[in-house]
């Protein structure tokens, strides 16, 4: 939750939440049980349905998930689709385009992180991941598009 405990109506500042995810990630790298229970919290921050997402919080959650992919490969593999969704700017539903406009910083971090995991053989090219990279190669942010093209071209 983004509310301060014990203080109704007061939101936790984004900078505190961003740092909290980094700290949580450090603890998760040392404790497998904590990592197992924290994966859903981390993935939830990246989910397209999150209202008013914060790029710093999302970037840190993404980076922590990437670190957990390296440390606990089989455990974090389940959340690869959520990580891959960070390559896209916005999502489509049957009714309309959602209000999610992912930050270019988050998309750039997603390209860099996923390409690093691919190069180190922690994850494999699968249908959805490949398609997300194709979409990223046509991103409106030139830097994201260029990075995605370089990954696709080897």
């Amino acid at each position: 939750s983004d509310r301060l405990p014990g203080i109704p109506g007061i939101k936790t500042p984004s900078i505190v939440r961003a740092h909290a995810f980094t700290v949580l990630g450090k603890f998760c790298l040392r404790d497998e049980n904590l990592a197992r229970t924290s994966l859903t919290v981390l993935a939830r921050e990246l989910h397209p349905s999150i209202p008013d997402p914060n790029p710093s919080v999302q970037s840190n959650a993404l980076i922590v998930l990437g670190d957990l992919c390296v440390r606990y490969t089989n455990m974090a593999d389940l959340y690869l689709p959520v990580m891959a969704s960070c390559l896209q700017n916005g999502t489509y539903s049957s009714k309309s385009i959602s209000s999610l406009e992912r930050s270019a910083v988050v998309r750039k971090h997603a390209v860099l992180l996923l390409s690093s995991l691919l190069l180190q053989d922690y994850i494999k090219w699968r249908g959805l991941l490949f398609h997300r990279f194709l979409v990223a190669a046509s991103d409106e942010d030139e830097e994201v598009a260029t990075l995605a093209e370089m990954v696709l071209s080897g």
Side-chain angles (χ1 to χ4, degrees), residues 18-31 34-35 37-39 41-42 64 68:
H19 286 298
F21 277 101
T22 304
V23 171
L24 176 62
K26 299 282 185 191
F27 284 127
C28 287
L29 290 173
R30 304 209 20 100
D31 184 345
L34 178 62
T37 59
S38 299
L39 281 170
V41 173
L42 293 162
V64 168
L68 295 179

Side-chain angles (χ1 to χ4, degrees), residues 12-154:
T12 305
S14 293
I15 189 79
V16 172
R17 292 183 71 234
H19 286 298
F21 277 101
T22 304
V23 171
L24 176 62
K26 299 282 185 191
F27 284 127
C28 287
L29 290 173
R30 304 209 20 100
D31 184 345
E32 187 174 350
N33 289 328
L34 178 62
R36 186 173 285 112
T37 59
S38 299
L39 281 170
T40 55
V41 173
L42 293 162
R44 184 182 63 211
E45 259 332 291
L46 302 176
H47 198 272
S49 66
I50 293 289
D52 196 26
N54 180 279
S56 297
V57 173
Q58 285 192 324
S59 286
N60 287 357
L62 179 65
I63 290 167
V64 168
L65 276 172
D67 289 344
L68 295 179
C69 271
V70 172
R71 180 77 169 96
Y72 311 110
T73 307
N74 294 336
M75 190 188 316
D77 197 43
L78 181 64
Y79 297 95
L80 184 58
V82 175
M83 295 168 66
S85 74
C86 293
L87 293 168
Q88 280 186 262
N89 182 19
T91 56
Y92 299 92
S93 70
S94 59
K95 295 180 183 174
S96 65
I97 298 174
S98 81
S99 61
L100 172 67
E101 286 295 322
R102 241 188 246 288
S103 162
V105 171
V106 175
R107 295 191 318 269
K108 179 182 168 190
H109 284 162
V111 170
L112 293 171
L113 176 78
L114 291 169
S115 64
S116 175
L117 292 172
L118 283 163
L119 287 170
Q120 297 174 56
D121 282 333
Y122 286 107
I123 60 174
K124 302 289 182 207
W125 282 114
R126 293 194 182 121
L128 178 65
L129 183 60
F130 182 71
H131 287 99
R132 299 280 182 160
F133 265 95
L134 287 175
V135 170
S138 64
D139 196 280
E140 69 256 6
D141 185 281
E142 191 174 322
E143 191 174 6
V144 172
T146 303
L147 286 169
E149 285 175 25
M150 288 190 319
V151 171
L152 288 167
S153 63

